[in-house]
Amino acid sequence: MDNIDLHNHSTRSDGLLSPTQLIELAARTGVDAIALTDHDTLEGLEEAAAAARRAGIGFVPGVEISVSWGSVTLHVVGLQVDPASPLLRDGLDQIRGGRLERGKVIAAALDKLGIAGTFEAALALAQDERLLSRTHFARHLAERGAVRDTQQAFDKYLAKGKPAFVEHHWADLGDAVRWIRGAGGVAVLAHPGRYDLKPMMRHEMLAQFKALGGEAIEVVTGSHRPEEYSLWQREALEFGFLASRGADYHGPGESPAEPGTLPQLNASLTPVWSKWAH
Ligand code: AMP
Ligand code: MN
Ligand code: MN
Ligand code: MN
């Protein structure tokens, strides 16, 4: 079976490898086709596509859109999107706008906790200031020894419910799906197990996503624990979603799985790539 990995990040958002380095790693790991799905930007796609052509592997242009669904932040991956789509570009541009301001508020909260100067330091780790991420804060906190590693930075300060978490309004779910579909892409609900929802809300999320035009959910992802795969496999089958597989790779030492190293999808599922593979 082909080794296809449809969720990965680069330095264009909060990854540690450039698009070219990511593709070269994937080619070495034996990936047959890979998607670059940076948060809220399409900027890395051209470089990644060229690197994939050179490396002789397939490339799927993608994006991971930040969405506010009530008080929950969801991530929606768009696959096979046209990077030139004005609708998608304008939508992403809108949501990128608020990140810098949010970063200042995160830094102020950390300052109150006795950790000063994080805004400039986190910003220095981001390639595009409009894509300043909590991940950049986490890396800075780890670098200065305020925490053991980036995971501890989230667990202690940056995750929802922790003292430096700052609420933010991202895209509406319906808009994100509309932008993706308008760009010719397929909307995939990313790592549904990460949202920590009770069964009723989980069903509400899946039903709404489906009704709005969402076509797939991630089942096998580096952001799910392996014991979660069977739950999301059942939900995909019950709701009639296509299934996706992706490492959600952010870089060496930060992600449990490298591109293409997770288990294959169970044979009972219809892979999302059946939409475009001939
Ligand atoms: P942001 O879009 O700036 O809010 O940052 C979201 C990113 O932070 C995600 O894409 C992950 O890479 C990372 N992240 C979010 N929550 C956690 C967590 N609990 N543990 C580790 N990484 C996380
Ligand atoms: Mn991320
Ligand atoms: Mn995500
Ligand atoms: Mn991701």
Side-chain angles (χ1 to χ4, degrees):
M1 188 185 278
D2 278 356
N3 186 351
I4 297 181
D5 194 303
L6 298 177
H7 189 150
N8 295 281
H9 296 275
S10 78
T11 45
R12 292 301 184 143
S13 64
D14 63 349
L16 287 168
L17 302 183
S18 71
T20 301
Q21 290 171 322
L22 171 74
I23 300 298
E24 287 173 354
L25 170 66
R28 282 200 302 278
T29 323
V31 172
D32 296 301
I34 184 169
L36 177 65
T37 54
D38 273 317
H39 298 285
D40 306 327
T41 183
L42 305 165
E43 289 306 311
L45 297 179
E46 202 178 298
E47 181 187 326
R53 273 194 302 277
R54 282 196 305 274
I57 66 172
F59 181 67
V60 175
V63 64
E64 182 174 19
I65 304 183
S66 312
V67 164
S68 293
W69 186 65
S71 62
V72 186
T73 299
L74 303 179
H75 285 172
V76 177
V77 163
L79 297 174
Q80 295 291 23
V81 292
D82 173 7
S85 161
L87 178 72
L88 179 59
R89 297 187 77 84
D90 289 352
L92 295 176
D93 191 55
Q94 275 169 38
I95 49 176
R96 279 195 300 267
R99 281 184 175 271
L100 206 55
E101 280 310 310
R102 180 190 67 153
K104 288 181 189 156
V105 185
I106 292 174
L110 289 168
D111 192 56
K112 265 202 189 144
L113 296 162
I115 310 172
T118 57
F119 179 71
E120 293 73 16
L123 202 55
L125 298 177
Q127 203 171 75
D128 176 348
E129 62 176 30
R130 283 161 55 84
L131 285 163
L132 178 62
S133 166
R134 281 185 288 160
T135 307
H136 300 120
F137 281 92
R139 286 184 190 138
H140 168 64
L141 292 174
E143 270 175 15
R144 72 194 269 166
V147 290
R148 187 173 61 236
D149 53 20
T150 55
Q151 187 57 55
Q152 196 183 38
F154 280 95
D155 295 344
K156 214 169 153 185
Y157 298 112
L158 298 166
K160 188 166 176 155
K162 303 301 173 184
F165 177 79
V166 174
E167 290 288 349
H168 192 74
H169 191 79
W170 305 105
D172 289 335
L173 183 58
D175 285 340
V177 173
R178 198 167 50 79
W179 300 339
I180 290 167
R181 292 173 64 102
V186 183
V188 184
L189 185 66
H191 42 64
R194 269 268 294 271
Y195 310 127
D196 218 13
L197 301 176
K198 303 223 159 51
M200 279 239 306
M201 285 290 277
R202 189 167 84 212
H203 277 239
E204 187 58 29
M205 168 182 73
L206 294 172
Q208 278 191 29
F209 181 61
K210 177 114 191 169
L212 291 166
E215 293 179 74
I217 66 171
E218 289 183 349
V219 173
V220 173
T221 146
S223 291
H224 283 168
R225 285 171 280 117
E227 59 270 27
E228 290 178 290
Y229 297 163
S230 61
L231 165 66
W232 297 102
Q233 181 177 313
R234 275 201 309 282
E235 297 288 30
L237 291 170
E238 186 182 324
F239 280 83
F241 282 120
L242 302 170
S244 192
R245 167 185 188 252
D248 203 357
Y249 184 70
H250 283 75
E254 274 191 21
S255 296
E258 290 196 336
T261 59
L262 292 174
Q264 291 283 359
L265 294 172
N266 185 278
S268 62
L269 295 163
T270 308
V272 64
W273 56 86
S274 66
K275 296 244 330 164
W276 60 79
H278 302 287

